[in-house]
Amino acid sequence: MEKKEFKSESKRLMDLMVHSIYTNKEIFLRELISNASDAIDKVYYKTLTDKDKNFNKDDYYIRIHPDKDNRTLTISDTGIGMTEKELEENLGIIAKSGSNDFKSEQEMEEGFDIIGKFGVGFYSSFMVSDKVEVETKSIDEEQAYLWVSEGADGYTIEPGELKSHGSKITLYIKENTEDNNYDEYLEPYHIQNLVEKYSNYIRYPIKMVTEKSRVKEETKDNENPEYETYLEDDILNSMVPIWRKNANELTDEDYNNFYQEKRYGYDAPLAHIHLNVEGMMSYKAILYIPGQPPFDYYTRDYEKGLELYSNGVLIMDKCGELLPDYFSFVKGVVDSEDLSLNISREMLQQDKQLRLISRKIDSRISEELKKMLANDREKYEEFFKAFGNQLKVGTYDKWGQNKDKLQDFLLFYSSKEGNFVTLKEYVERMPEDQKYIYFASGSSVEHIEKLPQVSIVKNKNYEILYLTENIDEFVFQTIGQYGEKDFRSVSSDNLGLEAPEENEEEENKEATEVDEKLLEKMKEIIGDEVVKVKTTGHLKDDLVYLSTEGDLSIEMEKTLNSMPQGGKVKAKKVLEINKNHPVYEKLKGFYEKDEDQLKLYTELLYNQARLIAGLPVDDIVLFTQNISKLM
Ligand SMILES: Nc1ncnc2c1ncn2[C@@H]1O[C@H](COP(=O)(O)OP(=O)(O)OP(=O)(O)O)[C@@H](O)[C@H]1O
């Protein structure tokens, strides 16, 4: 029989599983049970939407069967099964391309937590097995198939023997090693514990035949009664959905386990919200704020939404209408008795009841975040690191219609304390004479810190917000004003600062005729790339920088021009020169006496300023030749 190869990335992942450094191997059972439960959900849904099919509750269950003699553990379900093509597509490739992102071998060795980040579902079974068989029959096909793999080498598919739809996964459990006791995955009591820990709220019965002991009926009146063992089919899980329970019956661990079981994320959630609403519209919901963004979160592939149940029946696994875009990271379930089972996507959009729920959800998430920001700053910063960009997008999205709501959730890095502050905190501690909320943009905090124009504002003892994300300046532009204070870039040609005291005299006698002519000449040399060349008395050691006139900053210019359809926008750049620097005196000396030197110096200064601003130098060879000339 032909052996097929896994697609290359799957092969790597498989290798990783087989030689797993991941200590939490037991999660394989949760993954397989969740897949089984999803497969039954799919049949259930099919029967609800297809009048010819009936769903008989007793026919749907998951069965676990450990067999110590053969060292196998079997997990079977009566779900939808897979066709041959689906087997190939689902188990031959890792559909979740995010797993492809896992980095170098070295990172793998260092314990790069790929499972924590992406989840590996079915493949996790190779952490505990030498060989895995999947026998499956699709509800839509007569023929069953058997998929077999011993790991990274590949897999085979041949006809199987199952007669009714569903899947049967057989794991050939590894032998014990020094570090790992694989035997326990064949122990019924251990399996029972794992199911309770990870899969307790799976909605279908998880059955296992267990051996029990009892007093023999005929000896029960004896002084020393005899015992006998017998087999009983047990249901291992409680099945009552967690959202139907009272919040006070549940612990954080229960909520976290449910989150894991539902595979909302593979991390621990930062917070959960349990809603139990009675009234015009009655519903229950559990919402989570995850700890980490899913691998595809900031891509187009990410689909927001909550699971929507109608009285315990899953009707949609990602109902986007329930969440505003700015909270698209939230995961969870909503279950309402008042929703119709046959609700369609189109109807959902206009559904008043759903809008009622979504408004409530929106306000509860806001409340939760406010609480976190006020009471647990560390956690909030962790949250913001993960999802802050989404809140920023939300602030400027839709013409800023949600800015008032979202602006207080934003954090920015502050020059003052070297940590993150809110706009409120910034404005509240502004000195009285400070006119603006100052910000500086650049690729990193380290880069921004060194900008000449930053030192100007810092010397005044004013706090500066450091913006390192492309979107940041657009957010400020959308917010416009905070606490009646305007935002002002430190690269603006008008910083609203008093003239430096020690230079006051200098400042006043400014702009002699020579100065003016010199600056005009320099502007002429540089050409249209700048709108002006001017002097500044605010710089200490630095010689030049580029400021801008008007609303469009250099950072915005970069961002806009890097977009796929980005046109050629141009910020109105101003070359600012430190008039107290000896080089400025030199320039004055060159004026009218040595035009070539003036040209050389001007071009060098302009290009230096471009480099400081993170802009490319047009003719880098000429630039270096010019430096060489001076040297
Ligand atoms: N017991 C099963 N019955 C039917 N289909 C299954 C079963 N197990 C897995 N599959 C199919 O194989 C696919 C891949 O499973 P896998 O566990 O690797 O990822 P997933 O469940 O899609 O993702 P994740 O585990 O990250 O949520 C599933 O999406 C499903 O279509």
Side-chain angles (χ1 to χ4, degrees), residues 31-40 42 75-77 79-82 86-87 89-91 93-96 118-124 134-136 166-169 262-264 266 295:
E31 298 294 310
L32 296 182
I33 290 175
S34 294
N35 282 347
S37 167
D38 290 349
I40 301 178
K42 285 177 194 160
I75 294 102
S76 40
D77 64 68
I80 195 142
M82 285 179 269
E86 284 166 344
L87 253 183
E89 283 173 359
N90 294 336
L91 307 187
I93 343 165
I94 295 177
K96 305 277 163 58
F118 307 113
V120 284
F122 168 76
Y123 285 85
S124 59
V134 179
E135 192 174 9
T136 182
S167 302
K168 181 172 150 202
I169 322 270
K262 278 286 185 184
R263 290 175 292 180
Y264 290 145
Y266 298 88
F295 68 89

Side-chain angles (χ1 to χ4, degrees), residues 485-503:
K485 298 283 180 189
D486 285 324
F487 294 93
R488 183 63 44 105
S489 164
V490 297
S491 303
S492 160
D493 76 329
N494 176 11
L495 289 174
L497 302 177
E498 304 271 309
E501 271 166 35
E502 68 270 29
N503 293 322

